[in-house]
Amino acid sequence: MIIGNAHDPDTGISVEVGPGGGLRDLVLDSRSVRLGQSGLARAILALVDTATARANARAAHVVGDEVSALGLDVRARLVESVEDTTPETWRV
């Protein structure tokens, strides 16, 4: 399973996503609640962006040119499956 994760020790927020940014896990602690609604939302989205970049890089590394040479468009299928699970309200 390909995942990306990010953690901010100052806010106590941790996220784990799949390629494309589909959220798999979100952990908050008492420090994160002190950020307020908009601060919490911004902090989560920033960590999701970081984790997504990591997951996408891992997916590109795993899929690589060998699979493309076989004519299998695995990357497109990964993106489509993740996009199907990402709520519209999370998209910019």
Side-chain angles (χ1 to χ4, degrees):
M1 177 179 313
I2 299 169
I3 61 163
N5 49 35
H7 172 73
D8 184 344
D10 295 330
T11 63
I13 302 170
S14 295
V15 298
E16 181 177 283
V17 302
L23 190 62
R24 300 182 52 80
D25 192 28
L26 171 64
V27 178
L28 308 173
D29 72 14
S30 59
R31 293 170 290 173
S32 60
V33 177
R34 295 182 194 129
L35 296 172
Q37 292 177 342
S38 60
L40 180 59
R42 281 192 303 273
I44 291 170
L45 290 174
L47 287 172
V48 167
D49 285 345
T50 299
T52 300
R54 291 175 180 163
N56 289 347
R58 289 180 182 140
H61 178 74
V62 169
V63 172
D65 294 331
E66 298 80 24
V67 175
S68 298
L70 296 173
L72 302 173
D73 193 6
V74 175
R75 281 180 234 172
R77 284 193 304 233
L78 281 173
V79 170
E80 288 172 15
S81 69
V82 170
E83 288 296 320
D84 289 343
T85 62
T86 304
E88 286 294 324
T89 56
W90 292 8
R91 299 176 193 207
V92 178

